Amino acid sequence: MEIVYFMTADEVKQIGYTNTNVEDSIISTTMRVVQDTMLKGILGGNFYKYLLNGIKTNILSDDDKVLIDNYIKPFLISAVDFRVTTHLLLEIRAKTVGTTNDQYYRSADEKQMLKLQDQLEADMKSYKHSLKCYLDEERKLYPEYDKWRCSCERPEGKDEGYNNVISFV
């Protein structure tokens, strides 16, 4: 099965905080997990598949390109930066999981690591919010997203006038 990515590992290295000496395999694995576990939940399965197919076939509308370049990629880069920090500090080996060091660097301690992750998580949440707001504001440009969004907000069998708001009168 071919894996389709919204961007390259080089884009993550050039635009994000992830250093250029990080192996592409680590970034690609993290990117796949972020796409499948985070982005797919935001876009909905059908719209997610539609965009991946558009990337694979190189058939994207101008609106799709704007969405990907200005909203999806910034979110993915920040999410990959956030998720990859743990994978760069810890290494899974045959006998154990441990911190990694080399002759030039000392691994961050837990406090430093938590501070970095907090900052990266704040960036990721901000980009995620921007992506969701853009999709909500421009949902008519993306029928697959609009259909998925409406099905989430309105349970099956409820009409257009259904409002999922709890009122305390």
Side-chain angles (χ1 to χ4, degrees), residues 16 21 27 44 59 72 75 91 95 104 129 135:
N21 67 356
I27 294 172
I59 301 173
I72 290 177
F75 166 71
E91 204 168 285
K95 295 182 180 183
Y104 304 108
H129 178 74
L135 285 168

Side-chain angles (χ1 to χ4, degrees), residues 163-169:
N163 189 348
N164 192 17
V165 176
I166 297 173
S167 176
F168 296 97
V169 181

Side-chain angles (χ1 to χ4, degrees), residues 2-163:
E2 180 187 2
I3 299 173
V4 179
Y5 296 100
F6 281 85
M7 64 192 164
T8 65
D10 283 338
E11 286 178 285
V12 173
K13 293 175 184 182
Q14 291 170 3
I15 299 169
Y17 291 114
T18 302
N19 198 298
T20 56
N21 67 356
V22 176
E23 294 175 27
D24 286 356
S25 62
I26 293 172
I27 294 172
S28 296
T29 300
T30 306
M31 206 169 6
R32 180 181 47 80
V33 170
V34 167
Q35 282 184 191
D36 290 347
T37 63
M38 299 172 86
L39 183 62
K40 188 176 182 180
I42 295 169
L43 300 177
N46 289 337
F47 189 43
Y48 177 77
K49 289 176 193 170
Y50 161 81
L51 290 173
L52 286 179
N53 188 54
I55 292 167
K56 182 178 178 178
T57 60
N58 203 24
I59 301 173
L60 293 166
S61 71
D62 289 341
D63 292 328
D64 295 341
K65 291 175 186 175
V66 167
L67 172 64
I68 291 169
D69 291 341
N70 296 340
Y71 296 94
I72 290 177
K73 283 184 179 182
F75 166 71
L76 287 175
I77 290 168
S78 65
V80 168
D81 281 342
F82 172 68
R83 296 285 296 266
V84 82
T85 55
T86 302
H87 303 293
L88 294 177
L89 176 67
L90 300 175
E91 204 168 285
I92 302 171
R93 298 280 180 122
K95 295 182 180 183
T96 188
V97 174
T99 59
T100 59
N101 283 309
D102 67 21
Q103 62 193 28
Y104 304 108
Y105 287 96
R106 178 180 50 83
S107 294
D109 63 30
E110 185 177 1
K111 184 177 178 182
Q112 293 167 324
M113 196 63 186
L114 290 173
K115 183 176 181 178
L116 174 61
Q117 284 183 320
D118 286 347
Q119 291 170 346
L120 294 173
E121 184 177 28
D123 292 346
M124 179 188 65
K125 285 180 177 180
S126 177
Y127 284 115
K128 181 179 180 179
H129 178 74
S130 294
L131 170 59
K132 285 179 158 186
C133 287
Y134 176 77
L135 285 168
D136 283 344
E137 290 169 3
E138 303 295 337
R139 67 181 174 266
K140 296 301 177 194
L141 296 175
Y142 309 105
E144 287 295 331
Y145 173 75
D146 193 39
K147 192 184 317 177
W148 175 80
R149 183 181 164 277
C150 288
S151 70
C152 288
E153 291 176 354
R154 189 177 55 251
E156 198 169 323
K158 299 291 184 178
D159 64 10
E160 279 299 316
Y162 175 79
N163 189 348

